[in-house]
Amino acid sequence: MTQLAELSVGPIAYDDTGGDGTPVVLLHGLAQDGTVWRHVVDELGASVRCIVPTLPYGSHRTPLRPGAQLSPRTMALLIGEFADTLKLGDDTVFVENDAGRLQQLVAERPERVGRLVIAGCEAFDNYPPGPGGKLLDAASRVPGGLAFLAQVLSVRPLRRMPGTGYAVMSHRPVPHDLIDRWVEPLRKDPVARATLQHYLRASVKSEMMEAAEALRTYDRPALVVWGRQDRMMPPAHGRRLAELLPQGRLVELDECGTLIPLDQPRALAKAIREFADSGPSDD
């Protein structure tokens, strides 16, 4: 059921399956919304409590307060504020796909992240990540660039062009109904575009390297899940992240790109469920 969490920047919409299971917060990437997790939520069923916010990454429909501007760092802190508002405890499993804000949250507020799953995210010097991320970043720096890119992505045949847009992010074609939904706010809402534009222009390349260093001291349960065919987030980065994390464990998946929730939802749900069932740290 969709609800609203009132945060310092304004309301954030989220879906919550409820129940007494372990809370699992599922976080999406830029120019997407919580629907990227739909198959994973179905696979997890009632075994956990799935909490899926739609973050203000340009595809959001719930407007923030006038003048609210977000950078990668403030977005990371916003995720922590969201968890605080919902009063989520240390047993909570935080899962992020595509973006890298959980790594920054761990760097700034490690006590907020009880358990961590990094599922195919930007890391180290891959910032903006790969061809897709660089295209989005370049569009944000040209007047009208994001609006033009959204219009291009609204043309269904153009979405399948190799090496561009969502096509580079997934081993399988991303369903048209999802892309239709994701690009609509970017096409129609100048405020949503401005939110994403400010976020992209505020990015600092060194931030992810600094966040990676902080992972060395995150001595809590951590899981890294990566697609072996990922063309946007190098698989070697998944291995490096797992080695950096004191309690890190790595799962690599075949026939899988960046959008693991779409390419391998069953395998990802299985990894999340087993990780959630393993229990929180004794710290």
Side-chain angles (χ1 to χ4, degrees):
M1 184 175 105
T2 300
Q3 304 178 55
L4 292 178
E6 290 293 339
L7 306 184
S8 58
V9 297
I12 298 293
Y14 69 98
D15 291 323
D16 188 344
T17 61
D20 297 325
T22 300
V24 176
V25 179
L26 300 168
L27 303 167
H28 62 84
L30 274 61
Q32 303 164 34
D33 67 14
T35 55
V36 73
W37 291 102
R38 61 187 183 180
H39 299 313
V40 174
V41 172
D42 288 344
E43 290 288 340
L44 288 170
S47 63
V48 300
R49 173 192 172 192
C50 292
I51 302 165
V52 189
T54 285
L55 299 170
Y57 281 143
S59 296
H60 58 292
R61 288 169 164 79
T62 304
L64 301 178
R65 291 200 178 98
Q69 295 182 326
L70 294 170
S71 67
R73 177 181 176 272
T74 57
M75 186 69 77
L77 295 175
L78 188 71
I79 292 167
E81 183 185 348
F82 174 77
D84 292 343
T85 300
L86 269 60
K87 296 181 171 56
L88 300 178
D90 282 346
D91 62 330
T92 303
V93 177
F94 290 80
V95 186
E96 185 174 37
N97 174 241
D98 183 22
R101 306 292 69 81
L102 272 183
Q103 296 168 59
Q104 288 184 279
L105 180 58
V106 165
E108 300 230 11
R109 293 187 61 196
E111 77 288 346
R112 176 60 270 184
V113 184
R115 290 184 281 173
L116 171 69
V117 180
I118 302 173
C121 288
E122 58 192 41
F124 303 109
D125 59 349
N126 186 32
Y127 192 55
K134 289 177 175 59
L135 175 63
L136 190 62
D137 181 71
S140 76
R141 299 177 191 281
V142 177
L146 287 177
F148 176 75
L149 182 59
Q151 291 294 341
V152 170
L153 289 172
S154 70
V155 181
R156 289 188 169 191
L158 297 180
R159 298 170 180 173
R160 306 301 194 217
M161 292 175 61
T164 61
Y166 298 103
V168 76
M169 299 180 69
S170 182
H171 186 70
R172 299 179 178 86
V174 178
H176 283 307
D177 69 306
L178 287 185
I179 299 180
D180 289 342
R181 177 181 174 85
W182 297 345
V183 301
E184 184 179 24
L186 287 168
R187 285 194 303 113
K188 297 182 177 180
D189 185 355
V191 177
R193 287 197 303 273
T195 299
L196 177 59
Q197 182 180 54
H198 186 272
Y199 173 96
L200 290 165
R201 290 184 175 183
S203 63
V204 178
K205 190 174 181 66
S206 61
E207 284 180 326
M208 296 311 298
M209 293 296 293
E210 294 166 2
E213 282 301 308
L215 295 180
R216 296 180 186 275
T217 60
Y218 181 76
D219 197 10
R220 293 187 176 195
L223 176 67
V224 178
V225 184
W226 224 268
R228 288 195 174 100
Q229 288 73 40
D230 197 328
R231 293 167 291 167
M232 191 168 169
M233 316 292 186
H237 282 187
R239 299 173 199 129
R240 284 176 64 187
L241 287 169
E243 291 171 359
L244 274 178
L245 289 156
Q247 296 189 46
R249 186 169 64 85
L250 175 67
V251 172
E252 293 185 313
L253 301 175
D254 282 316
E255 298 184 356
C256 188
T258 301
L259 292 177
I260 305 172
L262 299 181
D263 281 339
Q264 292 290 355
R266 181 171 298 178
L268 179 55
K270 180 176 182 290
I272 292 171
R273 185 186 303 109
E274 291 175 350
F275 183 70
D277 289 346
S278 66
S281 172
D282 293 331
D283 293 348

